[in-house]
């Protein structure tokens, strides 16, 4: 099978997990690049507004997801759901099979995967990690289990 791991990361946390998954899965990798500046307070506020309004910000072109048997899609959680650049990516692509991962500050369940599934299809696997798990390197076993769920 041909795999692609694609992710959006504003702070770098989701990037760490995307790179770990791609390495473990031996997949191609691509980063969703947002055309909006999100580093300042105004950028941070834009994040929340776009999510609530389900806006689709402009992103740079990515690899064609339809050329892969399975695409692993990663996003940070913003206001309980996927980041708006990840929403744009999902809306712009067609998928044969998907798996999802997200990073979030809170350990509480969110609507992220449900929202992603509504725009794509049922994932073969899903992985939710907290920022604390990522920063303390306590994610590696979970990434291995996630990849095993994908390839079985």
């Amino acid at each position: 099978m041909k795999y692609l791991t694609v992710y959006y990361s504003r702070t770098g946390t989701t990037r760490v997990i995307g790179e770990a998954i791609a390495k473990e899965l031996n997949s191609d990798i691509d980063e969703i690049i947002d055309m909006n500046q999100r580093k300042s307070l105004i950028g941070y506020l834009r994040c929340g507004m776009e999510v609530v309004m389900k806006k689709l910000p402009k992103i740079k072109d990515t690899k064609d997801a339809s050329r892969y048997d399975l695409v692993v899609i990663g996003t940070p959680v913003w206001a309980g759901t996927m980041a708006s650049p990840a929403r744009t990516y999902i809306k712009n692509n067609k998928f044969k099979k998907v798996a999802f991962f997200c990073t979030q500050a809170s350990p509480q369940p969110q609507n992220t995967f449900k929202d992603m599934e509504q725009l794509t299809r049922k994932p073969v696997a899903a992985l939710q990690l907290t920022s604390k798990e990522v920063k303390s390197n306590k994610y590696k076993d979970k990434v291995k289990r996630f990849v095993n769920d994908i390839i079985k």
Side-chain angles (χ1 to χ4, degrees):
M1 285 189 63
K2 191 170 180 181
Y3 301 108
L4 172 65
T5 300
V6 64
Y7 63 88
Y8 172 73
S9 186
R10 187 179 76 83
T11 64
T13 304
T14 308
R15 177 182 298 113
V16 168
I17 302 306
E19 289 172 351
I21 291 168
K23 183 177 180 184
E24 190 72 28
L25 189 57
N26 194 26
S27 73
D28 289 347
I29 189 166
D30 204 2
E31 181 173 9
I32 300 166
I33 305 293
D34 185 2
M35 302 301 280
N36 292 319
Q37 192 282 110
R38 298 189 185 273
K39 299 290 182 195
S40 66
L41 176 60
I42 292 171
Y44 180 78
L45 293 173
R46 182 185 296 126
C47 295
M49 181 195 69
E50 286 180 0
V51 167
V52 169
M53 297 177 74
K54 297 188 177 182
K55 293 273 187 181
L56 299 173
K58 289 188 78 98
I59 61 173
K60 287 189 178 179
D61 289 340
T62 55
K63 293 178 181 174
D64 181 1
S66 68
R67 296 179 55 200
Y68 293 86
D69 299 307
L70 185 140
V71 179
V72 180
I73 307 168
T75 180
V77 175
W78 291 356
T81 191
M82 75 189 96
S84 55
R87 179 180 295 279
T88 299
Y89 174 80
I90 290 170
K91 290 284 238 175
N92 289 349
N93 284 280
K94 300 280 188 239
F95 308 95
K96 296 173 187 170
K97 290 183 182 178
V98 293
F100 304 143
F101 73 96
C102 71
T103 59
Q104 61 191 47
S106 168
Q108 300 302 316
Q110 306 290 329
N111 292 323
T112 310
F113 297 146
K114 183 178 117 191
D115 293 345
M116 293 170 81
E117 183 177 335
Q118 287 176 345
L119 295 175
T120 57
R121 56 184 61 241
K122 186 171 178 60
V124 299
L127 173 64
Q128 176 182 324
L129 293 165
T130 64
S131 303
K132 186 177 178 181
E133 288 174 301
V134 177
K135 287 181 176 94
S136 65
N137 282 324
K138 293 183 178 176
Y139 61 86
K140 293 176 183 175
D141 287 339
K142 288 184 178 183
V143 165
K144 286 181 185 201
R145 285 194 300 272
F146 175 66
V147 169
N148 284 337
D149 287 345
I150 290 171
I151 60 177
K152 62 175 166 170

